[in-house]
Amino acid sequence: MLAFIGGTGLTRMDNLRITGSQTLSTRFGEPSAPVVEGRLNGREVLFLARHGDPHVLLPHQVNYRANMVALKDAGASAIVAVNAVGGITDKAPTGALVLADQIIDYTHGRDMTLFDDPEEPLVHVDFSWPFDAALRAALKERLTVSGLAWTDGGCYGATQGPRLETAAEILRMERDGCDVVGMTGMPEAVLARELDIPYAMLSLVVNPGAGKSDREITMAEIEAVIHDGMAGVCRVLADLAEHW
């Protein structure tokens, strides 16, 4: 079953009928919110509000391990993660969607693996290509016919948050090869790999990265882009569900 991780706004899609929810507990604790079940364009789907419902959890406070295990327990066979990002390079103008194919992790202190029980075997997963190729290809097909501005490929830089980055940090990330910057991509992506669940990320660019414009970044401007851009994201996800 296809699952979506993002904000609570994802459950207000057109043609979505909510059919139930599961309040799940895992050995890693409680997920951010109940797993919502629905039918989208006639297909069964799952939703999880990454930051809680209502939105109360900062990026470093999210129990990523519990979230991913809860989705698997609920029947997720593939996961599309939606997130808001800052744009660093010309590949990521404000308002566009980015279908990243690489990731660099700058976070710290987060629980990064499901395999930390000394009583269980240690597992090293291959993470050379962090996003599932087949799921990315399916998203590319839907984005191609969407009429939206989008970029195929790019590197997502995952930072700790909750503060935004300094201009010097963005310059460093650009030198490292990052095209966008966000706070939720890790450890979410690697946990999906450890669970052997196909995972891809669809990022909405909501502001230029620090130092990439001559104006201060304001939350009001970010929220306005999110409001406008999420309508397009929802259309793409609904189309994906229909064709998955």
Side-chain angles (χ1 to χ4, degrees), residues 24-32 63 65-67 69-70:
L24 300 169
S25 182
T26 78
R27 70 183 181 94
F28 300 106
E30 305 298 318
S32 299
N63 189 339
R65 296 194 296 183
N67 283 355
V69 171

Side-chain angles (χ1 to χ4, degrees), residues 40-211:
L40 180 59
N41 285 344
R43 302 297 181 90
E44 292 186 352
V45 292
L46 300 172
F47 298 87
L48 180 61
R50 182 189 286 117
H51 297 280
D53 185 8
H55 185 129
V56 294
L57 297 171
L58 297 172
H60 68 288
Q61 295 173 326
V62 172
N63 189 339
Y64 294 96
R65 296 194 296 183
N67 283 355
M68 303 306 283
V69 171
L71 281 174
K72 179 161 187 171
D73 290 348
S77 58
I79 297 172
V80 176
V82 176
N83 42 41
V85 298
I88 297 177
T89 68
D90 291 342
K91 295 176 70 172
T94 298
L97 295 170
V98 175
L99 187 60
D101 59 0
Q102 275 297 333
I103 196 165
I104 297 177
D105 186 11
Y106 300 95
T107 66
H108 53 84
R110 301 185 183 188
D111 292 321
M112 301 297 297
T113 181
L114 304 172
F115 302 115
D116 60 355
D117 187 338
E119 303 298 321
E120 296 182 357
L122 178 63
V123 177
H124 298 282
V125 295
D126 178 64
F127 204 50
S128 302
W129 302 97
F131 304 113
D132 182 76
L135 187 53
R136 285 192 74 256
L139 277 164
K140 284 170 63 174
E141 289 182 2
R142 303 343 304 166
L143 285 162
T144 299
V145 300
S146 70
L148 300 171
W150 69 285
T151 297
D152 180 17
C155 183
Y156 176 108
T159 58
Q160 181 71 0
R163 67 168 177 85
L164 300 180
E165 299 72 35
T166 68
E169 287 169 333
I170 291 296
L171 284 175
R172 180 189 68 164
M173 295 177 72
E174 185 172 16
R175 290 193 297 269
D176 287 348
C178 295
D179 297 288
V180 296
V181 54
M183 302 175 190
T184 59
M186 288 291 287
E188 203 172 83
V190 72
L191 295 172
R193 181 61 52 86
E194 289 186 344
L195 289 166
D196 198 27
I197 302 176
Y199 175 98
M201 180 186 295
L202 186 60
S203 300
L204 172 64
V205 184
V206 298
N207 62 274

